[in-house]
Amino acid sequence: MPRKTDAPREAKPIEGDVLQFVPVAEAVATLLKPHAEVVIHDLRTQTIAYIANNISRRDVGGSSLAELKDIGELGTDVIGPYPKTNFDGRQLKSITAVLRNSSGETFGLLCINFDLAPIEAARDALTLLAAFQGAGTQPTALFNADWQETVNTAIADFLGERGLAASALAKEDHAALIERLEQEGYFSIRNLVPYLARLLGISRATVYNHLRRARQSKP
């Protein structure tokens, strides 16, 4: 008794060994739906035997345009990935599995065609969001008085020079950073000590201790 599947078939299947791969085609198409179709080609009849999630608008029973002699010359059972163009101009990323019987004879192909349009749209959207429009300079009216922005930039420069992450600074790194900020005059900014203590995850007393040593080491 044939096994039943929950997924509806898009056409009445024709007889042949290739139809044993219909559940595989449906499983892959369901996982990647609606962005991929799976096409089973019967190389003995040179026709399309089955299509799951038809996005190419081809017909079951139509010509598969795949020559058995050409497939045999490829010398591999997995072909691709390779680019294809859909009827509506969308770019597809495709891969093909060669189907063989127990004697090693090729009798079919299982092709997966993945629609790249959603991925390309997401890539373009992320690129647009990440790009700075215009000159890319900070508005003077907003940032002239923003000392935290200035301090953040100085800290980022320090971390970048040393290849460090703020969350992984050791005691000596804290001391070196505070010494750098003192040398560049940042400790003339009111409320810098509590701000640094919060950023670095250390106490205000520790910041003051590092600052005192930095000032004592000045020529």
Side-chain angles (χ1 to χ4, degrees), residues 89-169:
R90 286 181 295 174
Q91 295 302 304
L92 307 176
K93 184 177 183 179
S94 302
I95 193 166
T96 295
V98 178
L99 308 179
R100 302 180 186 274
N101 59 24
S102 58
S103 301
E105 299 171 335
T106 304
F107 65 87
L109 302 174
L110 188 147
C111 301
I112 303 171
N113 301 313
F114 188 83
D115 181 10
L116 293 177
I119 295 177
E120 291 175 340
R123 178 200 61 199
D124 293 343
L126 290 173
T127 300
L128 182 63
L129 286 172
F132 287 101
Q133 303 299 320
T137 57
Q138 294 178 338
T140 302
L142 290 179
F143 287 95
N144 268 351
D146 191 347
W147 61 267
Q148 292 182 357
E149 176 76 14
T150 305
V151 171
N152 290 347
T153 301
I155 294 174
D157 290 342
F158 174 85
L159 297 176
E161 292 172 5
R162 300 193 174 208
L164 299 172
S167 59
L169 295 182

Side-chain angles (χ1 to χ4, degrees), residues 169-187:
L169 295 182
K171 181 178 179 180
E172 57 269 21
D173 299 318
H174 292 152
L177 172 59
I178 290 170
E179 182 178 4
R180 167 77 70 84
L181 295 177
E182 165 63 12
Q183 291 172 351
E184 297 180 359
Y186 283 97
F187 278 93

